[in-house]
Amino acid sequence: MNGLDFEKPIKELEKKIEELKKFTVEKKIDLSAEIKRLEQKLHDLKFSIYSSLTSWQRVQIARHPQRPYTLDYIQMMMYDFIELHGDRSFSDDKAIIGGFAKIDGLKVMVLGHQKGRTTKENILRNFGCAHPEGYRKSLRLMQLAEKFNLPILIFIDTPGAYPGIGAEERGQAQAIALNLREMIRIRVPILVVVIGEGGSGGALGIGVGDRILILENAYYSVISPEGCAAILWKDSSKAPEAAEALKLTASDLLELGIVDEVIKEPLGGAHTNPEQMAKILKEALLRHLKELLDILIDTLLERRYNKYRSIGRIV
């Protein structure tokens, strides 16, 4: 992976540093001072680029193929994960995974969208686009969590729900709508985090919770920038303009009151240091979980309901 277009100056400088290091070893010439100078220049360049990203550039980072996915975070943050399958009606949708797990000794139900890294994996996971059976499986697992009084952790990372004919025939809209209604009244804490793409109803279908967190370079939107551009201008190449207008970045969403906290990513994005990202995210999840577990469930449900009733204002 050569990186994104705006990352080219970074990649060129990284290549130059590697060449100097290799030259130092092969020729036994001390270039440590020059290497140190370039490494500082690289850090400054990264800080300059990543602290002033456009909305469209953040969308590109959110879609980076090396970005950690739900299973990656489960493996890095949790243990004793037991995956559960099927909606008990049609099939098992592999675009959404879920099951029992433990995080820092706390038993939870964890679920989320799962993409693939290779073409074969993406076909298996349907590129993270869930079918109705994926949403029905999610609801089954959340109701199971309620039965055993386990808090629920949800990871969102999807371009959107699958829009195919088969999905519509099997009740895609009804499955998502049912989840929205039922999640409002699930009697255990629900903590949601947007780790990559948060696309429309496909994200919201498992996105109702007491706290909504979002990673710094993730996005959450009613429609993709390309889809918005195609509708407004009949030209998907205007996606960068659409991304700005949609107010879909983490900072925009925090300002609008859609999310409760923005989780800082390592410099360059979560994919540059997945282990550090997992550590940062784990600390945030545990902090919010402990706060939610201390709230009486009836109070929690009332706040959850009011949270979603109050979303939406003209700016």
Side-chain angles (χ1 to χ4, degrees), residues 78-311:
M78 305 177 196
Y79 58 98
D80 290 350
F81 175 58
I82 301 174
E83 187 174 357
L84 303 175
H85 300 272
D87 67 341
R88 302 297 186 266
S89 178
F90 182 75
S91 72
D92 181 42
D93 187 352
K94 297 187 184 302
I96 292 183
I97 58 103
F100 298 113
K102 291 180 182 176
I103 177 169
D104 204 33
L106 179 65
K107 295 178 182 178
V108 298
M109 177 68 76
V110 58
L111 58 103
H113 301 99
Q114 179 63 34
K115 298 176 180 177
R117 300 207 187 280
T118 65
T119 301
K120 185 177 180 180
E121 286 177 355
N122 265 317
I123 291 172
L124 176 70
R125 302 289 181 184
N126 203 37
F127 296 85
C129 299
H131 294 78
E133 46 272 21
Y135 295 104
R136 294 184 179 119
K137 174 171 71 171
S138 299
L139 182 58
R140 181 176 77 82
L141 298 190
M142 287 185 276
Q143 290 171 337
L144 190 61
E146 182 181 39
K147 178 179 178 180
F148 291 112
N149 197 31
L150 299 176
I152 300 168
L153 286 180
I154 298 172
F155 295 90
I156 290 177
D157 188 13
T158 181
Y162 184 64
I165 293 175
E168 297 298 333
E169 288 175 341
R170 297 194 298 278
Q172 184 73 288
Q174 190 271 345
I176 293 174
L178 180 63
N179 278 22
L180 300 184
R181 186 188 75 185
E182 294 302 312
M183 289 183 77
I184 282 289
R185 52 195 188 191
I186 291 283
R187 295 184 65 82
V188 293
I190 303 175
L191 182 55
V192 179
V193 55
V194 185
I195 59 173
E197 295 186 90
S200 192
L204 193 58
I206 60 169
V208 177
D210 301 294
R211 303 273 173 87
I212 312 297
L213 314 182
I214 186 169
L215 300 194
E216 182 183 10
N217 293 308
Y219 77 90
Y220 204 179
S221 175
V222 69
I223 191 172
S224 71
E226 295 92 336
C228 178
I231 292 171
L232 293 182
W233 298 292
K234 313 297 182 188
D235 183 1
S236 61
S237 69
K238 290 189 177 291
E241 290 91 329
E244 292 291 339
L246 284 167
K247 301 294 182 184
L248 46 64
T249 67
S251 58
D252 291 329
L253 296 166
L254 184 64
E255 184 179 345
L256 293 169
I258 307 297
V259 300
D260 298 291
E261 184 179 344
V262 176
I263 310 299
K264 191 78 172 172
E265 295 187 23
L267 189 62
H271 61 281
T272 63
N273 195 333
E275 292 79 13
Q276 184 185 356
M277 184 70 256
K279 182 180 178 182
I280 295 170
L281 181 56
K282 182 179 179 180
E283 290 173 355
L285 293 178
L286 287 171
R287 171 165 44 83
H288 282 279
L289 274 176
K290 288 171 182 175
E291 290 174 5
L292 292 173
L293 287 167
D294 285 337
I295 301 172
L296 292 173
I297 191 61
D298 288 334
T299 302
L300 201 65
L301 292 181
E302 183 179 359
R303 290 180 183 177
R304 187 187 303 166
Y305 176 80
N306 290 333
K307 176 183 180 65
Y308 283 85
R309 291 292 292 177
S310 64
I311 285 177

